[in-house]
Amino acid sequence: MNALLTRHSTLPVDPLFLARWSPRAFDGVALPEEDLLTLFEAARWAPSAYNKQPWRFLYALRGDAHWATFVALLDPFNASWAQDAGALIFLLSDSNSPTHRFDAGAAWSHLALQAHQLGYQAHAMGGIHHSAVRNELAVPKHLHVEIGIAVGALGDPTSLPDTLRREIPSDRLPLDQLINRGRY
């Protein structure tokens, strides 16, 4: 599906922003490690306050020794579809930086856009077992567990349960609901 066919902007934004979306149907093929490293390289170049770069990533490739653990760290809803991704990632941020969450979000965005450029999809998930991620993956106390990310090639939406078959890019609120000039 070409997301450009369903999303439109009245302003001249790059089509990349309209085409990127977060599907749940993945093809079940492991991501080549070089492609995954390319996603991390794109994230590495995200802007950050004082160049602190407070983001960190933990990952598992489909079929490796860590895969089952990573799937188990997702809530059951997300595990039901993300188990078919090619890679699972946990995004962490260093709480010693005052803008750690903001900067980690920028890194996530770079990763997601690079995934799209390589022909993959990336889906961020807040539905993870945050404390279990910390314990199972030995995350140091100064790092905050932010989100899980499923990455892979788009799969057949009919492989999903009926309740998840909304495999179309979602729209966004109108710009006038998101911005104010001057005071709120």
Side-chain angles (χ1 to χ4, degrees):
M1 167 186 295
N2 184 345
L4 288 172
L5 298 176
T6 59
R7 287 178 157 178
H8 305 281
S9 175
T10 59
L11 295 168
V13 298
D14 190 288
L16 171 66
F17 297 103
L18 301 174
R20 192 227 51 89
W21 64 296
S22 300
R24 289 191 177 96
F26 290 100
D27 71 355
V29 175
L31 222 63
E33 190 162 12
E34 184 174 337
D35 288 352
L36 184 60
L37 293 176
T38 300
L39 304 185
F40 292 139
E41 179 67 7
R44 185 171 81 93
W45 291 101
S48 70
Y50 299 101
N51 199 27
K52 294 283 189 189
Q53 302 167 45
W55 51 81
R56 300 293 181 268
F57 297 99
L58 300 174
Y59 72 94
L61 291 170
R62 181 178 185 75
D64 76 13
H66 307 288
W67 187 254
T69 300
F70 273 57
V71 171
L73 293 170
L74 306 175
D75 72 19
F77 174 79
N78 286 327
S80 72
W81 58 266
Q83 66 186 345
D84 292 326
L88 290 174
I89 302 166
F90 290 108
L91 173 58
L92 315 172
S93 66
D94 187 337
S95 60
N96 290 321
S97 170
T99 59
H100 65 104
R101 300 185 99 171
F102 179 80
D103 292 347
W108 143 249
S109 182
H110 275 52
L111 185 149
L113 291 171
Q114 183 63 59
H116 176 76
Q117 289 292 85
L118 293 178
Y120 299 111
Q121 302 294 335
H123 188 126
M125 301 169 282
I128 62 176
H129 300 296
H130 290 82
S131 59
V133 169
R134 175 174 303 290
N135 295 332
E136 290 292 321
L137 304 181
V139 175
K141 287 188 182 279
H142 71 282
L143 296 177
H144 183 82
V145 178
E146 297 290 351
I147 59 169
I149 304 167
V151 181
L154 193 59
D156 181 0
T158 63
S159 68
L160 295 170
D162 290 341
T163 57
L164 296 180
R165 287 193 196 155
R166 58 169 194 85
E167 289 295 275
I168 58 170
S170 57
D171 208 354
R172 295 294 185 263
L173 293 172
L175 192 55
D176 64 0
Q177 291 183 29
L178 301 172
I179 64 173
N180 290 299
R181 187 171 188 163
R183 296 177 60 132
Y184 200 88

